[in-house]
Amino acid sequence: MRDEKDRATGRACRMCGTATAPAGRGRPALYCSRSCQAKAYRRRKQPPAPPAAPPAGSAAQARRRRQIAEALWRIAAERGLHAASLREVATEAGVSLRAVQYHFRSKHQLLVDALHLLHEENERIARSRFRQDPADPRAVLRAVLEEFLPLDAQRATALRVFAAYYARSLTDPALAAVFLAAEQPLERLVADLIGAARDAGRTAPGLDPWREADLLVSGAIGLGGDVLHRRRSLEDVRRTLDYHLERIFAGDRAHTAQVPGGGPGEGGQRDTAGPG
């Protein structure tokens, strides 16, 4: 009964709830023992518990990570990666700094994860745009190469972000491992398309698919950068790509049959517009 009365009048230990000893003069005791007093002190020194977060891998967590990554992309595209501090990213994303730190352990982890997400996003969008007939390797290859050109705001932003990452990857092995994948998936895709067309007798004789793929991919990336710098126009770059595609697919009878005179070099006109 006394303990209940002490708690009701505030004379109970603030840690364990046990009734404190009756006070003589001065303030009443707040704790029943030195042990409880020490526990209370340690508790005050500890940082507050983080807010409850969605389970790892949940849709809510994926959306928040994506929101933060998109903010990083916008900053990188407009001001460069050097301007993408965690605080700037948090402000751009409209979240707290603590939320960014919860989802990404450090700025470097944010950079690496955001680059992974950008690769995945570009692949998803590219697949959604892909409507070429698989039976037409020239049209398929042209569509693949045009993904490196700033044909719209999404592709222009992606190219700017990749350019910012490329500069940083020269001195950051972790970024280079993501940015410059050893398996070269783009070059392999282009080489496979050229190789399949060569085996079907639709290319110029004696082509090396891998050498051609190296030139086309690196060339398309460089030309896309020139468009961003306004050094070249999109129309000029497209004509350059079509020139090389015509050279590669010079043995494609299905294509040259559509060109008056049998194709370039025989009085025909070059198909600079390309398929689509």
Side-chain angles (χ1 to χ4, degrees), residues 74 88 94 184 192:
R74 290 192 295 272
E88 285 291 322
Q184 295 180 291
D192 288 345

Side-chain angles (χ1 to χ4, degrees), residues 234-246:
L234 272 173
E235 292 74 17
D236 182 50
V237 166
R238 279 172 158 161
R239 284 194 292 269
T240 299
L241 291 179
D242 282 333
Y243 170 82
H244 286 285
L245 290 176
E246 279 198 358

